[in-house]
Amino acid sequence: MTQSAALATDRDAEIADLLVGAVDLHCHSGPAVFPRLLDHYEAMVEASEAGFSALVYKDHFYPGMAHAQLLETLYPDRGTRLYSGVALNNASGGINPHAVDHAVKLGGKIVWMPTFAAQNHIDKSADETKNYPKSANPMLPPIPLTVLDENGKLTRETNEVIDVIAAGDIILAGGHLSVHELKVLFPEAKRRGVKKMLVNHPTYVIGCSDDDMRELARLGVYMEHSICMFIPNQRGPAKWDASELRRLVEVAGVDMTIFGSDLGLVKMPRPVEGYRAIVNDLLELQMPKSEIRKLVSSNAAGLL
């Protein structure tokens, strides 16, 4: 074996070791109305073979708890726990406490505030969100959703959703709400007893500045950075490179940062491949292994 081959083998072993116990809170496997690279079964198999401790299925339109539970029952020896939650888009009734209550009762672990139906997402359809996937058959146009009323206060339905999340002790994720909305949502959620809070891809669509991320992290809100935005793919180069990701980790602090794959889209790496790529990049940047483990496993495991 050549020296370069030996070094590559050593690095592969390092990466494999760091992914044992990993947790992906943001896996976009199918079935889905959008084209997906892999289905829930394939995602489970690949995560299990890599030693992941948990995987969270995310679909923008349906709760995935039933799929997760059935797959665990059918394949009990896989060892990777499977979870899901509900995204509060129009298909789930919007900002709907009944949908959240159902999710909690069926073992859901996370509630995503509106994503594709968020007013903020729709407002950015000409630029940041214009390349989001689309269904093969056009869907009904979304009804724009926001958590704020005309006075800039949280709506009654939003407060009801918060109370159900607090009672269930599950994760409140910001979805694609704007940073302005999140700065109203999360403090009130904390006041009402929500203990687990998360911003999805804070620098993309959401609009968080460094100061915004620091402010929210001090409140106890985790920053979840999407691996898909920091690795190259068939569509082109990465949106940002790994050095920027490391800087973003430093902004909120490693103890308040999580990596989710946000993968499953076609022409992108598979979720586990994404984790391997980003861990390799961080090792190249000399990030301590203890910090990498927090980012890919222990911080997210604590929320689950």
Side-chain angles (χ1 to χ4, degrees):
M1 182 183 295
T2 65
Q3 183 178 9
S4 60
L7 290 172
T9 300
D10 290 345
R11 174 53 58 85
D12 289 344
E14 278 187 287
I15 294 169
D17 178 65
L18 285 167
L19 290 184
V20 172
V23 174
D24 186 358
L25 293 180
H26 204 137
C27 177
H28 279 302
S29 46
V33 294
F34 298 149
R36 293 304 186 202
L37 185 65
L38 75 175
D39 63 27
H40 298 328
Y41 170 76
E42 293 172 288
M44 173 194 69
V45 169
E46 293 175 17
S48 171
E49 289 175 348
F52 278 48
S53 65
L55 185 65
V56 176
Y57 298 130
K58 179 182 180 182
D59 191 89
H60 293 283
F61 304 105
Y62 69 83
M65 290 80 70
H67 301 83
Q69 291 177 26
L70 281 170
L71 284 168
E72 279 199 359
T73 300
L74 290 168
Y75 304 98
D77 299 327
R78 279 293 171 181
T80 299
R81 295 302 311 274
L82 305 175
Y83 301 106
S84 188
V86 61
L88 299 183
N89 291 308
N90 304 139
S92 297
I95 301 171
N96 176 8
H98 291 277
V100 176
D101 181 61
H102 171 262
V104 171
K105 299 305 190 298
L106 197 55
K109 290 291 186 178
I110 184 166
V111 173
W112 294 278
M113 281 293 171
T115 57
F116 277 39
Q119 179 72 64
N120 178 58
H121 180 104
I122 294 166
D123 287 346
K124 295 180 177 179
S125 60
D127 43 67
E128 282 189 277
T129 64
K130 67 179 179 180
N131 293 323
Y132 265 72
K134 294 177 174 58
S135 59
N137 296 310
M139 301 178 70
L140 293 173
I143 300 169
L145 299 171
T146 175
V147 294
L148 303 180
D149 63 20
E150 61 276 7
N151 298 313
K153 306 293 185 182
L154 293 180
T155 64
R156 175 180 57 81
E157 293 82 3
T158 301
N159 284 325
E160 290 175 358
V161 162
I162 289 171
D163 290 341
V164 177
I165 293 170
D169 193 27
I170 64 172
I171 304 165
L172 167 60
H176 293 186
L177 298 179
S178 68
V179 64
H180 171 68
E181 292 170 280
L182 297 182
K183 284 186 174 184
V184 181
L185 174 71
F186 285 130
E188 181 62 14
K190 183 175 182 178
R191 192 187 73 80
R192 288 174 174 265
V194 176
K195 297 180 177 66
K196 303 169 182 179
M197 299 179 288
L198 186 72
V199 179
N200 305 116
H201 42 72
T203 56
Y204 183 60
V205 178
I206 313 308
C208 284
S209 67
D210 288 2
D211 285 343
D212 293 329
M213 286 185 277
R214 292 187 188 101
E215 177 184 342
L216 291 168
R218 286 193 295 269
L219 186 68
V221 184
Y222 285 83
M223 302 296 114
E224 181 199 60
H225 294 291
S226 293
I227 290 171
C228 66
M229 297 173 189
F230 298 90
I231 55 175
N233 57 77
Q234 293 179 41
R235 302 175 184 214
K239 188 171 182 62
W240 297 287
D241 62 21
S243 61
E244 172 63 7
L245 179 57
R246 180 164 189 179
R247 189 193 72 79
L248 291 169
V249 171
E250 292 169 354
V251 168
V254 69
D255 291 327
M256 295 303 299
T257 304
I258 288 169
F259 294 166
S261 75
D262 205 351
L263 288 167
L265 284 71
V266 296
K267 296 185 178 180
M268 298 287 284
R270 299 168 87 84
V272 174
E273 290 175 355
Y275 273 89
R276 290 192 181 110
I278 208 65
V279 168
N280 179 70
D281 288 346
L282 294 176
L283 287 171
E284 289 288 333
L285 291 171
Q286 305 297 310
M287 178 175 276
K289 292 182 180 180
S290 59
E291 295 187 2
I292 294 175
R293 289 188 191 279
K294 288 182 178 182
L295 297 168
V296 302
S297 58
S298 58
N299 288 349
L303 290 180
L304 288 179

